[in-house]
Each structure stands twice: as structure tokens, then as C-alpha cells.
């Protein structure tokens, strides 16, 4: 498979009055063309920060302090502002959790979906109109031509998220980032949105990164998973291996909170809380919550150990003598 994205040893820190918060601390992974990668973890695990870094869309106090991000042969951390603007929305589309705050309330849906095509000078206004109408139809908006004249408040939550997907895909990006795209929606609509993303991925052949706290959403969609905790990767592998043969105690805790992964269900938080990343636990960051903690866990951060083909776990339980 052809490589699309390569992230090596990424560190993203936030500079706060009370100290430096290490939101992402040494993350490495690869994404191939046409692949769907799920990044899963509780809130505060660093999963969203890690993908916002790909677009260099961090808040003012956030900084990428080291590492590299290579997207489609381009070194993202050395791109100019103009080159970045060109990348956002054209080569990389993004769908956020709350479509209401991403859509402009005083601009019609049609204009908003046409906008990326016009901004990137990809076609004439009349062609943009036709493409927006077609894309809205593809994402399941009935009577797209009429609805293009309407405003976001005239759409339901699920329909607004469909509009956001149309907007993210209108320039036919190579990568779609979906950051908790279903969190604000009810369970039935969540399933519809994941089915739509899957259909769109098959239609356009792009790569997808799905950020979620809900393992159940990854089952029939993601090819591979990364399980994140407190800014570190805990486990990575093919989705079926992670879901049916998990190795890391944190992944097992997440799965224990979802009795039937085929059923769409909100995760029940595991005992304890995500640590304060201004002063994270020594050694393995999961050790204060782990049922298997050993002495070494408190002293040294575990590297990734081989579990099986393309399956790795950052846990001292898998150290070989
Ligand atoms: Fe638990 Fe130790 Fe493995 Fe961390 S390294 S998950 S504390 S057993």
C-alpha cells in the first residue's frame, strides 16, 4: 500500500500559567492510501490534538515542540501559511463534533458548500453550484437544490452533520479527518453518519482518520486502531485484533466497559481519572489505574512490544526475557 501520512515522535505541548501540559508525547504512526484509521481514547488522551497538529490548527498556547509530519510527500511543519491554506479543505477535509459551531449561521448552506471550491479556485461559480448540489444529494440531503437556499438552523442535527461531510468532501480530499463526528447526535443518527462516511470512503477512495471515544463505532469501519491514553499510544493493530484479542490493560478496560461491541453504546468511564499531564505519572502513565502494575511500570515508560503481525502494545507485561 502507498503511504499517505507519516508521523514520527510527535510532541505537542500547551504552555499554561500553571505549567507545561504534555498533550501528545512521542506519538508515531503511518496511514496508507485508502485506509481508515481509528484513534480511540477518553477525553484528554491527546487524540484530537494529534490530528489538529496535522493541519497546524492548534490553539495559541499549543506548540509542536518536536517530531515530523509528512503528508503526501510534504513536510507539514515546514510549509508556509499559503501552502497550509492550500492544503486545508482541499487535500485534507475535516468534520468536527458540533456542526452548528462549524457552519456560519447567516450564510446559506449552498454558498457554504460551494465556498471551498471557489476559495481554492478549482472551478467556476456555476460549476461549483452544480457540484455542491450533487454532493448534497450524495450525502443524503433530500431536494438538495431547494435546501441549498436554506440556513443551518433549518436543518436537524443529523442533516447538519451531513452538510459538514459534504463540505469536507467537496474538493475530493486525499484525507478526511472526522473528529468525534457523531458525539452530539442520538444513537440511530450516529449509526447513519458512520454508514455515510463508509459509503463516501468507498465512493471517493480517500483515507480517513476517525477520532472517537466510542470503540463500538470503529467495528465495521476502521481497518486499524490506535488506542491512546494520556498523550501516549498504548496499543495499535488491525481493528479485529484489538477488539477480539486486546493485549494492553487499558484497551481491556475500555472493552470491558462495552459488553457487546456490536451494539452502539457510550463507554462507561473506567475507575480513576486521566492524569494531570502537567505532572504525569512516572513510567507507564496508566500505572495508577492499571490492575497489573509491577515495580518497573512506575519507573520506566514501556516501549512498544510486538504482539503479533502489525500488532504492538506499550506494556511491560509483553517484555521478553
Ligand atoms: Fe499496566 Fe505496567 Fe502494562 Fe502499564 S506497563 S499497562 S502499568 S502492566
Amino acid at each position: 500500500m502507498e503511504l499517505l501520512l507519516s508521523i514520527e515522535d510527535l510532541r505537542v505541548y500547551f504552555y499554561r500559567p500553571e505549567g507545561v501540559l504534555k498533550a501528545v508525547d512521542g506519538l508515531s504512526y503511518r496511514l496508507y492510501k485508502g485506509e481508515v484509521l481509528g484513534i480511540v481514547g477518553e477525553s484528554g488522551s491527546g487524540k484530537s490534538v494529534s490530528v489538529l497538529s496535522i493541519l497546524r490548527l492548534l490553539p495559541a498556547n499549543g506548540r509542536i515542540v518536536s517530531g515530523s509530519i509528512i503528508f503526501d510527500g510534504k513536510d507539514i511543519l515546514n510549509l508556509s501559511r499559503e501552502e497550509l491554506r492550500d492544503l486545508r479543505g482541499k487535500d485534507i477535509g475535516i468534520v468536527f463534533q458540533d456542526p452548528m459551531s462549524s457552519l456560519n449561521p447567516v450564510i446559506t448552506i449552498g454558498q457554504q458548500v460551494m465556498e471551498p471550491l471557489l476559495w481554492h479556485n478549482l472551478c467556476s461559480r456555476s460549476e461549483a453550484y452544480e457540484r455542491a448540489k450533487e454532493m448534497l444529494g450524495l450525502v443524503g440531503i433530500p431536494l438538495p437544490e431547494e435546501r441549498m437556499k436554506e440556513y443551518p438552523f433549518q436543518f436537524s442535527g443529523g442533516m447538519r452533520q451531513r452538510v459538514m461531510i459534504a463540505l469536507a468532501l467537496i474538493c475530493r480530499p486525499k484525507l478526511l479527518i472526522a473528529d468525534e463526528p457523531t458525539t452530539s447526535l442520538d444513537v440511530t443518527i450516529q449509526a447513519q453518519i458512520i454508514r455515510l462516511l463508509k459509503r463516501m470512503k468507498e465512493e471517493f477512495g480517500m483515507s480517513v482518520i476517525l477520532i472517537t471515544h466510542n470503540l463500538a463505532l470503529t467495528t465495521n469501519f476502521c481497518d486499524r486502531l490506535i488506542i491512546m491514553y494520556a498523550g501516549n499510544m498504548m496499543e495499535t493493530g488491525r481493528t479485529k485484533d484489538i477488539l477480539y484479542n486486546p493485549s494492553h490493560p487499558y484497551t481491556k478496560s475500555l472493552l470491558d466497559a462495552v459488553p457487546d461491541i456490536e451494539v452502539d453504546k457510550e463507554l462507561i468511564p473506567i475507575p480513576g481519572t486521566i492524569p494531570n499531564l502537567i505532572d504525569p505519572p512516572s513510567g507507564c502513565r496508566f500505572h495508577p489505574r492499571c490492575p497489573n502494575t509491577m515495580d518497573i511500570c512506575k519507573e520506566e515508560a514501556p516501549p512498544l512490544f510486538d504482539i503479533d503481525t502489525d500488532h504492538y502494545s506499550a506494556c511491560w507485561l509483553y517484555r521478553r526475557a
Side-chain angles (χ1 to χ4, degrees):
M1 281 169 96
E2 226 181 309
L3 192 63
L4 181 67
L5 173 71
S6 165
I7 293 188
E8 292 296 333
D9 201 27
L10 180 69
R11 287 169 208 274
V12 186
Y13 294 175
F14 288 88
Y15 293 83
R16 294 186 171 174
E18 61 274 25
V20 179
L21 187 147
K22 296 172 178 170
V24 174
D25 213 10
L27 180 69
S28 302
Y29 67 87
R30 290 174 169 207
L31 176 72
Y32 294 89
K33 290 192 178 168
E35 189 182 32
V36 182
L37 175 69
I39 304 186
V40 184
E42 294 168 284
S43 72
S45 61
K47 55 192 192 307
S48 291
V49 172
S50 72
V51 291
L52 290 179
S53 304
I54 301 170
L55 292 160
R56 286 180 39 200
L57 283 176
L58 294 170
N61 67 341
R63 237 167 274 152
I64 297 171
V65 295
S66 67
S68 71
I69 303 174
I70 308 293
F71 173 79
D72 205 27
K74 297 185 186 87
D75 181 352
I76 295 279
L77 303 186
N78 284 318
L79 292 186
S80 65
R81 277 170 190 270
E82 290 70 34
E83 288 169 319
L84 265 178
R85 270 205 296 270
D86 208 38
L87 200 77
R88 291 177 191 148
K90 185 162 150 254
D91 291 327
I92 303 178
I94 187 157
V95 177
F96 291 107
Q97 179 181 139
D98 179 9
M100 202 53 190
S101 60
S102 308
L103 291 167
N104 189 323
V106 296
I107 297 180
T108 62
I109 291 295
Q111 280 177 286
Q112 295 192 59
V113 179
M114 289 162 63
E115 181 59 27
L117 290 169
L118 301 172
W119 167 262
H120 293 292
N121 281 322
L122 293 178
C123 59
S124 65
R125 179 161 277 278
S126 60
E127 196 184 325
Y129 179 87
E130 291 303 320
R131 282 174 63 174
K133 184 172 78 178
E134 187 195 355
M135 185 58 81
L136 285 168
L138 273 175
V139 298
I141 305 283
L143 305 171
E145 192 153 23
E146 279 88 87
R147 303 229 62 189
M148 281 172 79
K149 300 173 197 134
E150 296 180 356
Y151 293 88
F153 76 89
Q154 293 169 287
F155 286 65
S156 67
M159 284 293 161
R160 279 198 291 267
Q161 199 54 298
R162 286 174 188 268
V163 170
M164 281 308 301
I165 292 168
L167 217 158
L169 295 180
I170 191 76
C171 296
R172 308 276 170 109
K174 294 170 181 158
L175 170 62
L176 175 70
I177 294 172
D179 187 1
E180 299 274 15
T182 64
T183 302
S184 59
L185 306 171
D186 73 43
V187 171
T188 320
I189 310 290
Q190 285 185 15
Q192 288 175 10
I193 293 295
I194 292 294
R195 276 201 298 275
L196 171 64
L197 286 172
K198 193 172 174 189
R199 189 161 57 77
M200 292 293 101
K201 189 256 155 195
E202 278 153 17
E203 176 109 15
F204 298 125
M206 74 257 174
S207 307
V208 180
I209 297 180
L210 173 71
I211 305 291
T212 182
H213 64 283
N214 188 345
L215 266 171
L217 293 180
T218 66
T219 34
N220 296 314
F221 184 37
C222 298
D223 300 307
R224 259 188 323 125
L225 296 181
I226 289 175
I227 308 293
M228 282 193 74
Y229 180 79
N232 292 158
M233 181 193 290
M234 296 284 123
E235 184 168 1
T236 184
R238 287 175 294 202
T239 304
K240 65 178 173 45
D241 293 336
I242 300 266
L243 296 182
Y244 299 107
N245 187 24
S247 62
H248 199 283
Y250 178 61
T251 314
K252 289 178 185 173
S253 304
L254 285 180
L255 282 162
D256 282 348
V258 188
D260 183 348
I261 54 172
E262 302 296 335
V263 174
D264 197 359
K265 179 181 176 297
E266 189 79 6
L267 289 181
I268 300 161
I270 57 177
T273 52
I274 286 249
N276 174 2
L277 294 182
I278 291 176
D279 184 20
S282 58
C284 171
R285 289 185 175 183
F286 189 55
H287 87 249
R289 300 170 82 183
C290 180
N292 308 93
T293 306
M294 304 169 281
D295 286 344
I296 191 173
C297 306
K298 298 174 191 166
E299 290 152 17
E300 276 183 64
L304 283 171
F305 292 102
D306 265 13
I307 303 296
D308 206 338
T309 314
D310 293 332
H311 187 180
Y312 304 91
S313 191
C315 175
W316 287 118
L317 292 172
Y318 301 96
R319 175 178 50 167
R320 289 180 187 100

